[in-house]
Amino acid sequence: MRLVLDAMGGDHAPEAPVRGAVLFARERPEHEVVLVGDPARLRDSLSRGGGVPGNVHLHPASQVVDMGDQAFSAIRRKRDSSLRVGFELVRRGEAAALVSAGHSGAVMAGALLVLGRLPGVDRPAIATLLPALKGSGRCLLLDSGANVECRPEHLAQWAVLGSAYVRARLGLPRPRVAVLSNGEEPSKGTVLTRKAAELLRASDLNFVGYAEGRDLFSGDVEVVVTDGFTGNVVLKASEGVAAGMTGILRSAIERRGGLSEKLGALLLRPTFAGLKKMVDYAEHGGAPLLGIQGVGIVAHGRSSPRALQQALEAALQTAQVGGHAELTRCIAQAAAWLPVRQRGKRATGETLSD
Amino acid sequence: MRLVLDAMGGDHAPEAPVRGAVLFARERPEHEVVLVGDPARLRDSLSRGGGVPGNVHLHPASQVVDMGDQAFSAIRRKRDSSLRVGFELVRRGEAAALVSAGHSGAVMAGALLVLGRLPGVDRPAIATLLPALKGSGRCLLLDSGANVECRPEHLAQWAVLGSAYVRARLGLPRPRVAVLSNGEEPSKGTVLTRKAAELLRASDLNFVGYAEGRDLFSGDVEVVVTDGFTGNVVLKASEGVAAGMTGILRSAIERRGGLSEKLGALLLRPTFAGLKKMVDYAEHGGAPLLGIQGVGIVAHGRSSPRALQQALEAALQTAQVGGHAELTRCIAQAAAWLPVRQRGKRATGETLSD
């Protein structure tokens, strides 16, 4: 399979994407990575990285979408940006998926404007796979930040997409779906959550009602839908707690550190590795955009080479499990109960967060 | 000082409140606790707890607000409920503060209907003091769940109340205030957050703009305002991560556990105590209702005796730092820039989450 990596996107571009592509290509000799960006800078980065594997390719793009750019206008104006050129490769079938650690709003805009939405989907969502402690051990949160102001049918559409994705990627036949709320009782929540829950109660999904914040990590549900504002805030707060707790451990061990603390830390190293994995969920793997005509993966802006290697791995897995074909089937099937107010791409785009 | 404890509120009532009151009374012989509830059951619980300190008193109430009750109608109908009777003691000046681990919506309703709001405040908020890792080491999040649908001026009013509270309780002269959002750039957020930020930019508070989820624990801001839906979800997700991470540590040590893990855990015990403290923030201390004519503390429904002792301690400290007098002064001072659409108690109550 052939994957595109936006080599100019992210805080550490192009070094991190170049090194991430090389890591991936060495471990996956049967697949190919296309790095899109300024050829001179990419060659420069590649030359510093030692040998270049034969399955890493360069594709030129003269422009870059900056973090300060307005997402939709950047994709429209910068026709030779690495992001837009990368999406064009996917659209023409020259690559199976795109990964970018750049401006996430622009990744969404590129997916919408170049690839387009799946029929029956009003708004694509960013889907983040969280670690859980019991049950299936994973929970998919969507939307994680692309759509700030939402309508109930958006949440219901994401429930369909999320279920199909979890079924395909994790092999769970009937994932439990919930709407994120401030309490379990149906009387809780906002107008948005109550109307979304009403739609989902009438669906053929395995809808279990409201989930609270802690359920994201409890293993009691596999798909949780929410608006992108709440999703983003909740993800970043969770990262903050996780980073804070490992920070407390680290500083206690390093600074206060005592021989006994150091020895204790050494003995508990495998345990801490588990903790670190939980902390790193947002850094690693990348989050797929669900609801678009193709596979697009949003990676963290601060992604390291290793994180981008993981994001390419996520792109590969997502493309391999059937990409959007299964999602298309499920959304079509859901038409029986799911209202859609599909409008032009432009109208949708302009209400997205930029 | 005299404090009221709703002895019938919470999952473990009346045992947990009774034992919490006794713990507090023994450590604080110069203060008094009034347990409000069914006298026979309270005497029964007290008799099982060994000796009763002379500074623990009983006050009868024949009814109980149940978790399934509608908050406002329960306070109106159940005139002899422990919660309502407790608030009446505060209103008549017979106690300085009330603590309850019962139905948090009903605690809010009781505060509004019996004590009333501060002049200039549309809606009271639940304020939760979170642990941070740097700076002042604390961050006040409000609203933590009382008001699900909010207007910009509510957030601005809470910023004033939160600043005054942090100044008084933590002794910080000019706490940094932020609006919780899905990104730092002013273009991010919702209509609600953008309008609230606009109001706060024109204020005399130390407003620093938007805060992201992770800033709640970073020590970079001391007061963060948000709607009660987001506040509740973010708090519970943070609890979920913290509980999950300590769970990983515990299970790795207990089950996989190896002599080396057990020894490691023993050596790191003081470090883990710091972690546990971070996890327990929501359980311990209780959260004050800010914006009411008096001191009311919402404790977690699952509060243990020790948690209720801490909540009484929080009530004492809140009452001692001047209670609502300082808050009243600050809200009055803010009238220059702060719009208020104060209406009747009834109207406000009915838009609160029940």
Side-chain angles (χ1 to χ4, degrees):
Chain A
M1 229 163 219
R2 204 164 215 237
L3 308 172
V4 167
L5 180 56
D6 170 12
M8 310 309 282
D11 300 352
H12 310 301
E15 280 70 28
V18 164
R19 287 173 52 206
V22 170
L23 287 173
F24 176 84
R26 285 203 182 119
E27 272 195 19
R28 293 293 207 166
E30 72 279 25
H31 300 288
E32 291 172 282
V33 186
V34 181
L35 284 164
V36 182
D38 176 348
R41 291 187 64 191
L42 298 188
R43 264 185 230 109
D44 186 51
S45 288
L46 277 168
S47 69
R48 270 180 280 128
V52 181
N55 55 339
V56 171
H57 310 286
L58 300 190
H59 190 100
S62 63
Q63 292 174 300
V64 177
V65 174
D66 298 312
M67 288 309 288
D69 283 340
Q70 291 283 317
F72 280 84
S73 68
I75 294 294
R76 287 197 195 95
R77 276 185 304 109
K78 297 184 170 176
R79 302 185 74 87
D80 200 39
S81 61
S82 56
L83 193 54
R84 169 133 197 186
V85 169
F87 271 124
E88 298 284 0
L89 291 174
V90 176
R91 187 180 58 80
R92 293 199 301 266
E94 294 173 33
L98 173 137
V99 172
S100 177
H103 189 318
S104 63
V107 181
M108 175 61 88
L112 278 169
L113 295 176
V114 180
L115 302 181
R117 289 166 291 173
L118 289 184
V121 173
D122 281 313
R123 302 249 198 108
I126 299 177
T128 305
L129 207 48
L130 302 171
L133 292 175
K134 302 175 298 173
S136 60
R138 306 304 285 272
C139 177
L140 192 74
L141 175 71
L142 60 178
D143 176 27
S144 305
N147 306 279
V148 167
E149 317 260 11
C150 302
R151 289 200 308 269
E153 55 270 28
H154 301 150
L155 270 62
Q157 289 164 14
W158 300 337
V160 176
L161 295 171
S163 288
Y165 183 78
V166 163
R167 208 156 45 227
R169 176 126 180 233
L170 304 185
L172 293 171
R174 230 172 127 56
R176 288 165 293 185
V177 178
V179 172
L180 190 60
S181 184
N182 61 327
E184 288 177 2
E185 305 83 355
S187 62
K188 294 277 185 174
T190 60
V191 173
L192 174 69
T193 65
R194 283 193 292 271
K195 289 199 171 162
E198 202 179 295
L199 286 172
L200 288 167
R201 264 192 293 275
S203 79
D204 54 2
L205 299 175
N206 188 7
F207 180 62
V208 297
Y210 279 158
E212 297 191 78
R214 68 172 70 87
D215 297 322
L216 291 170
F217 305 95
S218 71
D220 294 330
V221 284
E222 285 82 33
V223 177
V224 173
V225 293
T226 188
D227 65 276
F229 178 85
T230 308
N232 178 286
V233 167
V234 133
L235 265 187
K236 286 184 185 161
S238 304
E239 276 182 62
V241 174
M245 289 182 70
T246 45
I248 288 179
L249 275 176
R250 198 181 312 114
S251 75
I253 291 160
E254 285 174 6
R255 268 180 287 160
R256 186 138 49 102
L259 195 63
S260 66
E261 277 89 359
K262 291 204 167 92
L263 180 60
L266 198 68
L267 293 170
L268 283 176
R269 190 177 279 173
T271 303
F272 286 174
L275 276 182
K276 193 167 173 344
K277 198 174 146 197
M278 187 153 179
V279 178
D280 288 350
Y281 63 83
E283 303 286 328
H284 285 242
L289 290 175
L290 297 186
I292 58 168
Q293 302 254 23
V295 178
I297 302 277
V298 177
H300 204 293
R302 293 194 304 268
S303 288
S304 64
R306 168 109 181 96
L308 283 161
Q309 177 194 7
Q310 301 273 75
L312 285 164
E313 197 61 49
L316 183 65
Q317 284 177 29
T318 303
Q320 280 175 336
V321 297
H324 58 285
E326 174 65 7
L327 272 54
T328 308
R329 198 185 62 76
C330 291
I331 274 284
Q333 214 172 37
W337 58 271
L338 188 56
V340 179
R341 298 192 209 163
Q342 193 146 356
R343 295 164 302 171
K345 284 173 186 171
R346 177 179 294 258
T348 299
E350 282 169 359
T351 56
L352 279 174
S353 91
D354 222 333
Chain B
M1 229 164 220
R2 204 165 214 233
L3 308 172
V4 167
L5 180 55
D6 170 12
M8 311 309 282
D11 301 352
H12 310 300
E15 279 70 29
V18 164
R19 286 174 52 207
V22 170
L23 287 173
F24 176 84
R26 284 203 183 119
E27 272 197 15
R28 294 291 207 166
E30 72 279 26
H31 299 289
E32 292 172 280
V33 186
V34 182
L35 285 164
V36 182
D38 176 347
R41 291 186 63 193
L42 298 189
R43 266 186 228 110
D44 186 51
S45 288
L46 277 169
S47 70
R48 270 180 280 128
V52 181
N55 54 339
V56 171
H57 311 285
L58 300 190
H59 190 101
S62 62
Q63 293 174 300
V64 176
V65 174
D66 297 313
M67 288 309 288
D69 282 340
Q70 291 282 318
F72 280 83
S73 68
I75 294 293
R76 287 197 195 96
R77 276 185 305 106
K78 297 184 170 176
R79 302 185 72 87
D80 200 40
S81 62
S82 56
L83 192 53
R84 169 132 195 185
V85 169
F87 270 124
E88 298 284 0
L89 290 174
V90 176
R91 187 180 59 78
R92 294 200 302 265
E94 294 174 32
L98 173 137
V99 172
S100 177
H103 190 318
S104 63
V107 180
M108 176 61 88
L112 279 169
L113 295 176
V114 179
L115 302 180
R117 288 166 290 171
L118 290 183
V121 174
D122 282 313
R123 303 250 198 107
I126 299 177
T128 305
L129 207 48
L130 302 171
L133 292 175
K134 301 174 299 174
S136 61
R138 307 302 285 273
C139 176
L140 191 74
L141 175 71
L142 60 177
D143 177 28
S144 304
N147 306 280
V148 167
E149 316 261 12
C150 303
R151 290 200 307 269
E153 55 270 29
H154 301 150
L155 270 62
Q157 290 164 15
W158 301 338
V160 176
L161 295 172
S163 287
Y165 183 79
V166 163
R167 210 157 42 227
R169 176 129 179 231
L170 304 186
L172 293 172
R174 229 171 128 58
R176 288 165 292 184
V177 178
V179 172
L180 191 60
S181 183
N182 61 327
E184 287 177 3
E185 305 83 355
S187 62
K188 294 276 184 174
T190 60
V191 173
L192 174 68
T193 65
R194 282 193 293 270
K195 289 198 172 160
E198 201 178 296
L199 285 173
L200 288 167
R201 263 193 292 276
S203 78
D204 54 2
L205 299 175
N206 188 6
F207 180 62
V208 296
Y210 280 157
E212 297 191 78
R214 68 172 68 89
D215 297 322
L216 290 171
F217 304 96
S218 70
D220 293 330
V221 284
E222 285 83 33
V223 178
V224 173
V225 292
T226 188
D227 64 277
F229 178 85
T230 307
N232 177 287
V233 166
V234 135
L235 266 187
K236 287 182 183 162
S238 304
E239 276 181 64
V241 174
M245 289 183 70
T246 45
I248 288 178
L249 276 176
R250 198 182 310 117
S251 76
I253 290 160
E254 285 172 7
R255 268 180 286 161
R256 186 140 49 103
L259 195 64
S260 65
E261 277 89 358
K262 288 203 169 91
L263 179 60
L266 198 68
L267 293 171
L268 283 176
R269 188 177 280 173
T271 303
F272 286 176
L275 277 182
K276 194 169 172 340
K277 199 174 145 199
M278 187 150 177
V279 178
D280 287 351
Y281 63 83
E283 303 286 328
H284 285 240
L289 291 175
L290 297 186
I292 58 168
Q293 304 254 22
V295 178
I297 302 279
V298 177
H300 205 294
R302 291 196 304 270
S303 288
S304 63
R306 167 112 181 96
L308 284 162
Q309 177 194 6
Q310 301 273 74
L312 286 165
E313 197 61 49
L316 183 65
Q317 284 177 30
T318 302
Q320 280 174 337
V321 296
H324 58 283
E326 173 65 8
L327 272 55
T328 309
R329 199 185 62 74
C330 292
I331 275 284
Q333 214 170 38
W337 58 271
L338 188 56
V340 179
R341 299 193 209 163
Q342 194 146 353
R343 296 163 302 172
K345 283 173 186 173
R346 177 179 294 258
T348 298
E350 281 169 0
T351 56
L352 279 173
S353 88
D354 222 336

